[in-house]
């Protein structure tokens, strides 16, 4: 069998309104709606080759994948191609530092979905690709469309372009360590927190207010909203059983610094994913001040800066 | 008029199940029940002298009190003695370092209440003294009875003696700074958090489970419970409007250290009041290990250790 392959690139994304907990864990249907934007400079490139061998081969950042990581890729190919599928070789590469604590599963499953469908010649609309990516990792649904993205149900969709409001994410990298509890497991713990139901019940308000803030380019409202939303999620995480405590000393140093900057009029606000790193969402004019402030803090190991990225896309392809 | 005076001593207390938010702000009736124990080595001594002068004189830790601090003392004397009261001289001294971020209003209003009533010759039962202290500072109600104390409504009451379960509080002092937002103001903000109603709705469960854990001297349950409860309160604080963010880098360093110690079998758990300091509640055998661990952490300025204290009491008195 002649080789066919496709390579896709998909950006990581940062949620402004967070997804935490599923209403259906198997289908990864979210407990609450979320809003994110893609991160242009933090992306995954994945090549899927249909090679007809004896088994799948999965290579992540140049090393053979084993265990859970390989199994999730293989199961996702089963979902995309069906049970009688050919074997494939999957090579995936993140352009951001390994182990920087940047969530990679969103970009990874978006890129894998788009590459695998293209390699097989499946033509899917963006919504269908987003829904398929979601099955591999919930937030991967948001890395398929470009710009500002909303996700409520089966698939995510763009709500504004990057050009509409070119905000920037300056990431304070606090830890290079691997998470003790991965996101898939973490989402399943969300209902054990006595605060999760209240967080979910209030989510429509935050989602709509965030959509409005994006539409109106209203930084002051966006700032209060994304900080509140992130802190609500971490309130749920900390009070779940077992308790998930992602904040490190460097995390708190950044949070207080960002609030001090905003009090001095700098357009910056923080958000925090399921990890210790802090994403400082800011106006382009604020980037130098935010980068300098982060680099001056104890516990900050690296600073990564990204504008808003476009949709996942096929960047190379060959039919056999 | 001949001078009459009384001196009372009252301990600070640390809540295992936290009080945050009032169902009646003016009366300081709490939104949810709480449980605490008194801290034997952290106390306030207050002398109230009835001197019949032209105005009240209030002295805190050797310096004349002015502004809000003086006003709260004066208003509390109005409450205790009625509108036509004589003027008084009030001298209050904390035996713990000023500005260590140890909540002092609980001990202060318990001592002031007991001293002022004794100076005036008012004989009150403990419950009445607790209810009066509450009007000055909610958590002061818990510094009137001794040992383990519960507070649900008008007044607090002992639920177990110190000897029943002689736990120890090892306090990691993280900041010497003054709080930006005082507790009275903070309690009023509680309802602005979308999480507060859920925290309150779940409070009876935590209160009853904590009572059981104390009765059965069940450290493992107590540990999970007090950490969850403190983190729920901070989840509410962080998501109130304005957001109250008390955790500092040193706070997180201690929290992770305490969890690591417990994973290694050390009987210790954390709780955190409305401030950055961490109270490490532990079995007596764990004290040396906990103290040593805290002293080794960046951001920890001091370590204070206390066993469980008795009730507020009159320690000197003279009738004119």
């Amino acid at each position: 069998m002649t080789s066919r392959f496709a390579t896709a690139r998909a950006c990581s994304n940062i949620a402004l309104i967070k997804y935490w907990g599923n209403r259906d864990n198997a289908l990864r249907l979210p407990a609450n709606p979320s809003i994110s934007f893609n991160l242009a400079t933090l992306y995954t490139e994945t090549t899927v080759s249909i090679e007809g061998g004896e088994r799948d081969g999965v290579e992540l950042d140049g090393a053979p994948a084993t265990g859970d990581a390989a199994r999730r890729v293989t199961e996702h190919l089963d979902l995309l191609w069906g049970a009688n599928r050919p074997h494939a070789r999957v090579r995936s590469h993140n352009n951001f530092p390994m182990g920087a604590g940047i969530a990679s599963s969103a970009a990874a499953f978006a890129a894998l979905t788009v590459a695998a469908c293209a390699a097989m010649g499946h033509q899917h609309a963006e919504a269908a690709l987003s829904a398929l990516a979601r099955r591999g990792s919930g937030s991967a649904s948001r890395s398929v469309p470009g710009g500002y993205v909303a996700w409520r149900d089966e698939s995510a969709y763009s709500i504004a372009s990057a050009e509409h409001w070119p905000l920037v994410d300056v990431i304070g990298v606090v830890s290079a360590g691997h998470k003790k509890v991965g996101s898939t497991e973490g989402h399943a713990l969300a209902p054990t927190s006595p605060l999760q139901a209240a967080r979910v019940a209030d989510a429509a308000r935050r989602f709509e207010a965030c959509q409005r803030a994006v539409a109106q380019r209203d930084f002051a409202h966006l700032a209060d909203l994304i900080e509140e939303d992130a802190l609500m999620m971490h309130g749920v995480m900390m009070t779940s059983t077992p308790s998930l405590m992602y904040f490190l000393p460097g995390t708190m140093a950044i949070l207080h610094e960002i609030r001090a900057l905003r009090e001095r009029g700098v357009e910056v606000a923080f958000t925090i994913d399921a990890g210790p790193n802090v994403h400082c969402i800011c106006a382009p004019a604020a980037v130098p001040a935010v980068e300098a402030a982060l680099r001056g803090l104890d516990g900050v190991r690296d600073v990564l800066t990204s504008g808003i990225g476009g949709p996942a896309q096929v960047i190379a392809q060959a039919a056999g």
Side-chain angles (χ1 to χ4, degrees), chain A residues 16 165 167 210 213-214 218-227 269 281:
Chain A
L16 304 172
W165 197 18
L167 294 179
C210 185
V214 169
D218 180 342
F219 195 87
H221 272 119
L222 188 81
D224 289 342
L225 204 54
I226 70 175
E227 293 189 358
I281 308 300

Side-chain angles (χ1 to χ4, degrees), chain A residues 123-205:
Chain A
Q123 306 282 342
H124 287 305
E126 184 181 90
L129 289 170
S130 171
L132 289 168
R134 185 197 85 231
R135 301 289 297 276
S137 169
S139 56
S141 66
R142 294 190 313 237
S143 282
V144 172
Y148 291 86
V149 171
W151 172 37
R152 310 181 67 124
D153 291 300
E154 303 269 324
S155 57
Y157 51 96
S158 295
I159 56 171
S161 68
E163 295 71 31
H164 165 73
W165 197 18
L167 294 179
V168 178
D169 182 6
V170 179
I171 308 169
V173 176
V174 168
S175 168
H178 222 65
K179 288 192 254 185
K180 266 203 226 172
V181 175
S183 288
T184 298
E185 196 183 332
H187 284 290
L189 296 180
T192 68
S193 165
L195 303 178
Q196 168 70 352
R199 193 191 74 85
V200 170
D202 185 63
R205 174 190 69 84

Side-chain angles (χ1 to χ4, degrees), chain A residues 199-251:
Chain A
R199 193 191 74 85
V200 170
D202 185 63
R205 174 190 69 84
R206 301 191 306 279
F207 178 83
E208 280 154 30
C210 185
Q211 275 199 305
R212 257 195 320 276
V214 169
Q216 301 171 355
R217 303 183 193 91
D218 180 342
F219 195 87
H221 272 119
L222 188 81
D224 289 342
L225 204 54
I226 70 175
E227 293 189 358
E228 179 189 34
D229 186 84
L231 294 169
M232 284 178 83
M233 181 178 76
H234 283 271
V236 165
M237 291 165 160
M238 291 190 296
T239 57
S240 69
T241 302
S243 170
L244 303 175
M245 179 100 68
Y246 291 110
F247 294 0
L248 291 179
T251 310

Side-chain angles (χ1 to χ4, degrees), chain A residues 4-23:
Chain A
R4 291 179 291 165
F5 84 93
T7 301
R9 177 188 293 174
C11 297
S12 184
N13 71 73
I14 178 66
L16 304 172
I17 299 296
K18 302 294 188 190
Y19 151 55
W20 191 247
N22 291 312
R23 61 177 195 267

Side-chain angles (χ1 to χ4, degrees), chain A residues 274-293:
Chain A
N277 296 335
V278 182
H279 293 255
C280 305
I281 308 300
C282 55
V287 170
V290 173
E291 288 179 336

Side-chain angles (χ1 to χ4, degrees), chain A residues 174 249-251 253-254 293-301:
Chain A
V174 168
T251 310
I254 301 176
L294 294 194
R295 288 191 198 282
L297 293 176
D298 278 349
V300 175
R301 294 172 182 229

